[in-house]
Amino acid sequence: MSTEKESNYGADQIQILEGLEAVRKRPGMYIGTTSIRGLHHLVYEIVDNAVDEALGGYCNEIKVTINKGNTITVLDNGRGIPVGINQKAGKSALEVVFTVLHAGGKFGGGGYKVSGGLHGVGASVVNALSTWLEVSVYNEGKVYYQRYNVGKPEEDVKIVGECDPSTHGTKITFLPDPSIFEEVVFEYDTLKTRLRETAFLTKNLRIVLRDEREEEIVEDIFHFEGGIKEFVTYQNRSKEVLYPEIIYCEGTRNGVYVEVAMQHNDSYNETTLGFVNNIITPEGGTHVSGFKNAITKTINDYARANKLLKENEENLSGEDIREGLTTIISVKIEDPQFEGQTKQKLGNSEARVAVDSIVSEQLTYFLEQNPSVAKTICEKSIMSQRAREAARKARDLSRRKTALEGMGLPGKLADCSDKNPENCEIFIVEGDSAGGSAKEARSRATQAILPLRGKILNVEKARLDKIFGNAEIKAMITAFGTGIHDDFDISKLRYNKIIIMTDADVDGAHIATLMLTFLYRFMPELIKTGHVYLAQPPLYKLEKNKKVWYAYSDEELSSILTEVGRDGNNKIQRYKGLGEMDAEQLWETTMDPAKRILRKVMIDDESESEVDLTFTTLMGDKVEPRREFIENNAKYVTNLDI
Ligand code: TSJ
């Protein structure tokens, strides 16, 4: 042992290693999860640091490359992370950034902002969770370099070459540690969605995403001069808009920079996306409530002042006004406070005040300048108010009916006998005939069957009053027991699993999508809490020498054929629908909990804006985006003909 080395190894170093070790011991504490989502978080953490440089006005391009071997390179053209000696740490500021946990505060002559990220982690966390990481800084004609193995520097920062003196920036390459992450293969589309969003939120920033893993290199360039106005246009791209203008408000109040863009489309759904320092806030918060307060007040004031709303008429509710409205709210704030269980809700009260006052002021002005848009918005809101009133009456009526009829379960429901929801499941079955087989096949104690007739109502295209009047939808709502919307109560759910069982063909896929659309719009919690499943009936039955095989895909069929031998003695049967199976077959292949295959339906919180779009794209009116979506997703949704 060398005593000399040991004395060099100061308390600071030990602390640093302990810090990074803590990150490796509990990665979830720093990046939320070690699933594929956590893997992608590493990229966002690094990119967000470069975006901070862009927000400061020092950088206008960020290139992200997925390299062969699933390493990631992020390159910006900013000032370059400072390389000078940091007095306090006694080493290069660059090394401090990568080795000290939560490197925040000021050093190296400038403030190093900790990213506004959900978990407030930085480059050192990414470093700690990478097998290796390399950083190069280009500044004043020199290239500085350092490499780390599992967070530890190989050598001091050194100059490794020269560059054009006009070149400046930071380049990071890293390999996520496969002993930490469940998955180490990056998904191009996941990065693409998030980086597109980042580009929308940062006007004048160009983000280039490249995938160099395959022979054929893929590249996307995101650069939006219009910023969040273009984000609204993008969100509305598969819908018909009610007016061509994007309403835009911008300003700074009490240190909060506020940007809001909005536009109505002809759908009945509200899309309100809030961002704080470029980070999405799935649970909203003060910035979103400030906006809602402002638009409700401003539209009502305008409608009253212009006699669009008469004295004896009730005020428009916020929901009425936001029906079909797409809004992006982006605030930039020095010290964001996140609240709630998942820390995804902004808590700063100054953000509420800032958004409320800026939107109230500028929206009032916009309405005065654009009376025809103002009239369209008011009329649309009044229509919504009337429909909501009609829906309320319909709902009250059905509630009263339910009370009179006692249990009030739908007539078509063949309920199970076990009354403990934990043990129970309900099959929603397409068509009366398949429903009949399913009733015969089921295990009575725990499996309930609800047959639905034909294609169910497309809730994307219908107003509330019509939706609540629909028999199939009423049947589902009463069978589940949870109520919907504000009345929704998951503790009242009567079944642990809701299983959608449709034919394994194009029509079946369409019906399943319609049902999922309904569940997503009216009871999203059911999906989020993992109660919704798709049954998977077989596509083929193969018989030979009195033995039977079922195949659930074409691949499976050919592998069975290889095994069994392909000859004239097997008669292969292609199932065209559930109805072709007898009860026993249906039980064996699709319903028996011991043998069946179920697919769980899930939503990723962060991609919620995309889920929304998927449903609108598949279920909305515009043909072109739908075709595009289906083409792009053809491998998942084979030939979904709508
Ligand atoms: F995350 C990271 F640290 F690894 C990282 C940081 C990754 C990437 C791709 C870029 C960056 C980054 C940091 N780009 N630009 C900067 N800028 C600074 O760190 C910087 C430069 C100069 C000054 C100054 O006051 O002169 C201050 C700062 C914070």
Side-chain angles (χ1 to χ4, degrees):
M1 168 181 1
S2 146
T3 34
E4 207 176 59
K5 253 193 188 155
E6 204 149 82
S7 67
N8 278 342
Y9 208 73
D12 283 359
Q13 265 85 352
I14 290 171
Q15 251 186 1
I16 287 168
L17 290 181
E18 280 176 352
L20 295 189
E21 206 36 56
V23 176
R24 293 177 59 79
K25 250 199 200 126
R26 293 205 167 71
M29 296 261 291
Y30 298 86
I31 53 163
T33 159
T34 54
S35 67
I36 189 148
R37 186 196 240 183
L39 180 78
H40 291 101
H41 256 297
L42 299 182
V43 183
Y44 310 150
E45 271 313 322
I46 295 294
V47 170
D48 286 352
N49 279 280
V51 171
D52 279 349
E53 187 76 351
L55 290 172
Y58 304 108
C59 151
N60 62 9
E61 185 173 81
I62 301 174
K63 281 188 182 162
V64 179
T65 308
I66 314 174
N67 306 301
K68 284 206 165 73
N70 278 287
T71 65
I72 293 281
T73 299
V74 182
L75 168 69
D76 75 15
N77 63 350
R79 293 167 296 176
I81 301 176
V83 291
I85 298 294
N86 171 253
Q87 290 306 328
K88 201 168 145 233
K91 61 175 101 175
S92 169
L94 180 68
E95 184 172 327
V96 175
V97 167
F98 283 95
T99 56
V100 178
L101 208 48
H102 292 293
K106 286 186 192 300
F107 63 87
Y112 194 84
K113 241 197 355 208
V114 178
S115 130
L118 214 50
H119 308 285
V121 301
S124 60
V125 169
V126 177
N127 195 18
L129 301 178
S130 296
T131 306
W132 56 262
L133 182 147
E134 290 176 332
V135 52
S136 305
V137 169
Y138 304 82
N139 194 16
E140 296 187 333
K142 296 196 175 61
V143 184
Y144 300 82
Y145 173 87
Q146 193 168 39
R147 182 183 159 103
Y148 315 82
N149 294 305
V150 199
K152 295 185 208 58
E154 271 185 358
E155 293 179 60
D156 287 349
V157 174
K158 62 177 183 193
I159 296 174
V160 292
E162 299 190 345
C163 63
D164 190 306
S166 66
T167 305
H168 47 88
T170 304
K171 183 168 94 176
I172 315 281
T173 302
F174 65 95
L175 174 69
D177 189 335
S179 72
I180 300 274
F181 292 96
E182 290 157 30
E183 251 324 324
V184 286
V185 180
F186 288 97
E187 291 173 356
Y188 186 82
D189 287 343
T190 303
L191 294 178
K192 180 175 165 178
T193 303
R194 165 70 189 245
L195 294 177
R196 183 197 289 118
E197 197 169 283
T198 304
F200 278 129
L201 292 162
T202 323
K203 266 189 281 228
N204 303 320
L205 172 63
R206 200 176 120 96
I207 300 184
V208 182
L209 173 63
R210 267 171 87 82
D211 191 344
E212 299 194 347
R213 287 175 297 188
E214 302 286 330
E215 246 347 80
E216 194 186 344
I217 291 173
V218 183
E219 185 178 274
D220 278 283
I221 300 175
F222 302 118
H223 179 210
F224 306 109
E225 304 256 344
I228 62 166
K229 283 190 253 180
E230 281 191 65
F231 201 166
V232 170
T233 303
Y234 177 80
Q235 287 288 338
N236 276 343
R237 73 191 180 282
S238 63
K239 301 167 187 172
E240 302 288 344
V241 295
L242 296 190
Y243 41 86
E245 294 85 350
I246 307 270
I247 305 171
Y248 179 71
C249 313
E250 185 202 11
T252 304
R253 203 138 306 175
N254 299 329
V256 185
Y257 174 69
V258 177
E259 254 191 304
V260 176
M262 60 189 134
Q263 184 186 40
H264 280 89
N265 60 62
D266 72 346
S267 82
Y268 305 115
N269 302 306
E270 169 189 355
T271 304
T272 306
L273 300 178
F275 296 86
V276 177
N277 298 351
N278 282 9
I279 308 294
I280 194 160
T281 45
E283 292 178 42
T286 47
H287 55 326
V288 174
S289 60
F291 161 74
K292 289 184 175 174
N293 191 46
I295 187 171
T296 307
K297 188 178 53 179
T298 309
I299 298 291
N300 272 298
D301 286 354
Y302 182 90
R304 294 245 177 249
N306 291 277
K307 308 269 184 293
L308 296 165
L309 208 54
K310 311 227 164 44
E311 250 169 65
N312 61 344
E313 286 175 317
E314 254 187 66
N315 256 8
L316 298 162
S317 74
E319 282 184 14
D320 294 333
I321 295 164
R322 298 191 309 273
E323 184 190 87
L325 181 64
T326 298
T327 312
I328 307 290
I329 303 157
S330 170
V331 300
K332 303 264 161 63
I333 185 166
E334 192 71 43
D335 181 25
Q337 304 294 320
F338 292 98
E339 296 179 340
Q341 286 238 310
T342 49
K343 298 269 175 257
Q344 299 185 19
K345 190 173 175 188
L346 184 67
N348 304 55
S349 59
E350 68 271 29
R352 183 198 327 273
V353 180
V355 177
D356 191 339
S357 71
I358 287 167
V359 171
S360 297
E361 219 173 275
Q362 297 182 20
L363 181 59
T364 302
Y365 181 75
F366 175 90
L367 297 174
E368 277 161 13
Q369 297 295 309
N370 299 272
S372 77
V373 177
K375 192 163 168 240
T376 304
I377 295 174
C378 292
E379 280 169 357
K380 159 115 178 166
S381 307
I382 290 165
M383 289 280 280
S384 158
Q385 186 187 42
R386 287 184 190 147
R388 206 177 297 281
E389 186 56 25
R392 194 184 58 73
K393 279 186 187 143
R395 206 163 37 183
D396 282 356
L397 200 69
S398 80
R399 266 199 211 131
R400 234 173 300 141
K401 242 202 229 153
T402 313
L404 284 178
E405 288 165 7
M407 271 300 283
L409 286 170
K412 289 183 159 211
L413 175 75
D415 208 6
C416 49
S417 54
D418 194 323
K419 291 297 167 219
N420 179 1
E422 263 308 302
N423 307 328
C424 299
E425 45 193 46
I426 181 168
F427 285 81
I428 314 288
V429 187
E430 154 195 6
D432 284 334
S433 74
S437 305
K439 280 182 191 176
E440 211 180 304
R442 71 183 174 134
S443 156
R444 255 163 211 287
T446 56
Q447 297 183 320
I449 309 292
L450 180 65
L452 298 183
R453 185 174 299 140
K455 296 217 167 177
I456 80 158
L457 182 71
N458 180 353
V459 298
E460 289 293 293
K461 288 196 203 163
R463 260 214 163 95
L464 288 174
D465 45 346
K466 190 166 165 207
I467 294 172
F468 290 126
N470 181 272
E472 328 297 316
I473 284 181
K474 275 202 268 194
M476 280 196 272
I477 296 174
T478 29
F480 297 166
T482 55
I484 58 161
H485 277 161
D486 297 343
D487 298 331
F488 185 87
D489 181 355
I490 194 131
S491 71
K492 298 218 174 97
L493 182 60
R494 300 180 61 250
Y495 310 95
N496 188 34
K497 289 194 173 76
I498 293 168
I499 304 169
I500 297 171
M501 185 158 74
T502 57
D503 290 347
D505 63 4
V506 168
D507 280 343
H510 187 203
I511 292 168
T513 313
L514 287 165
M515 286 186 198
L516 287 176
T517 308
F518 162 68
L519 292 175
Y520 175 69
R521 289 294 181 209
F522 288 82
M523 310 175 174
E525 295 86 347
L526 280 186
I527 302 180
K528 286 182 189 165
T529 49
H531 289 289
V532 180
Y533 297 81
L534 295 170
Q536 186 106 312
L539 290 177
Y540 303 100
K541 176 186 175 185
L542 192 97
E543 269 189 66
K544 189 179 169 178
N545 306 333
K546 303 230 157 114
K547 272 181 42 190
V548 178
W549 289 262
Y550 294 102
Y552 294 82
S553 66
D554 288 322
E555 293 80 36
E556 204 179 342
L557 177 66
S558 39
S559 81
I560 293 172
L561 281 174
T562 315
E563 199 185 304
V564 180
R566 202 183 290 254
D567 58 48
N569 291 336
N570 42 37
K571 332 180 235 34
I572 301 165
Q573 187 187 351
R574 168 98 169 91
Y575 285 123
K576 288 199 206 68
L578 296 166
E580 287 184 17
M581 278 184 261
D582 62 33
E584 196 185 331
Q585 288 171 335
L586 190 59
W587 166 254
E588 224 172 79
T589 60
T590 318
M591 293 174 67
D592 179 0
K595 295 192 195 146
R596 70 189 178 195
I597 302 174
L598 289 185
R599 286 187 296 163
K600 192 178 204 158
V601 180
M602 292 191 290
I603 305 175
D604 190 342
D605 260 3
E606 276 171 63
S607 57
E608 214 161 310
S609 68
E610 292 293 312
V611 179
D612 225 280
L613 191 87
T614 305
F615 283 125
T616 331
T617 308
L618 285 171
M619 296 298 150
D621 287 319
K622 278 198 179 178
V623 174
E624 206 39 56
R626 182 158 60 223
R627 175 167 307 138
E628 212 175 279
F629 178 90
I630 291 170
E631 278 166 10
N632 290 341
N633 293 278
K635 60 176 184 259
Y636 309 114
V637 195
T638 342
N639 190 17
L640 188 53
D641 121 278
I642 300 167

